[in-house]
């Protein structure tokens, strides 16, 4: 089985919107195509998980990731960054998998995953 990782890094509206939508679109065909999907949020995209402050794009981004988690897609964030920001418990409660970025990226390489960045 092939693996696709959608790596969400940039925090600009286009990256948040496109990255989360592409992840959902891949999810829709993953089982039929025998593809395992995983999402990893890091950097500014991880910071956007902290709330929207009324920003519709950030709200939609968070809603989309929550829906992916509810659909059973593993969505990870950097444990070190979450600990530093004091968001570790809140992210875990939402269902995010906390893993050090170094470990996640090495694992993706060992698994032969295709990583798509936004």
């Amino acid at each position: 089985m092939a693996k696709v990782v959608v790596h969400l890094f940039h925090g600009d509206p286009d990256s948040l919107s496109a990255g989360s939508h592409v992840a959902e679109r891949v999810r829709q065909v993953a089982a039929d195509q025998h593809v395992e999907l995983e999402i990893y949020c890091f950097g500014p995209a991880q910071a956007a998980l902290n709330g929207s402050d009324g920003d519709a794009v950030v709200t939609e981004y968070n809603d989309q990731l929550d829906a992916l988690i509810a659909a059973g897609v593993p969505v990870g964030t950097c444990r070190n960054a979450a600990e530093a920001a004091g968001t570790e418990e809140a992210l875990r409660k939402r269902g995010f998998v906390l893993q050090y970025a170094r470990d996640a990226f090495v694992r993706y390489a060992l698994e032969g995953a295709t990583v798509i960045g936004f």
Side-chain angles (χ1 to χ4, degrees):
M1 180 178 283
K3 182 166 191 171
V4 172
V5 175
V6 177
H7 174 221
L8 303 169
F9 179 81
H10 299 284
D12 62 278
D14 290 337
S15 295
L16 295 175
S17 181
S20 61
H21 282 95
V22 165
E24 169 55 22
R25 301 294 284 169
V26 171
R27 185 205 61 79
Q28 292 171 1
V29 299
D32 293 341
Q33 298 296 321
H34 307 288
V35 171
E36 180 184 352
L37 173 63
E38 187 173 332
I39 316 302
Y40 193 79
C41 305
F42 190 52
Q46 182 170 344
L49 298 172
N50 298 334
S52 68
D53 292 330
D55 184 328
V57 171
V58 174
T59 297
E60 183 179 349
Y61 167 73
N62 276 277
D63 290 347
Q64 184 66 65
L65 292 180
D66 289 339
L68 286 161
I69 290 168
V73 176
V75 181
T77 60
C78 177
R79 181 177 176 182
N80 191 51
E83 289 171 352
T87 59
E88 185 177 10
E89 185 60 30
L91 291 170
R92 279 201 175 112
K93 284 182 180 178
R94 286 176 62 189
F96 285 87
V97 177
L98 275 67
Q99 182 178 23
Y100 295 114
R102 64 167 190 228
D103 298 338
F105 293 129
V106 168
R107 181 171 52 83
Y108 301 148
L110 293 172
E111 293 172 344
T114 299
V115 178
I116 303 167
F118 289 90

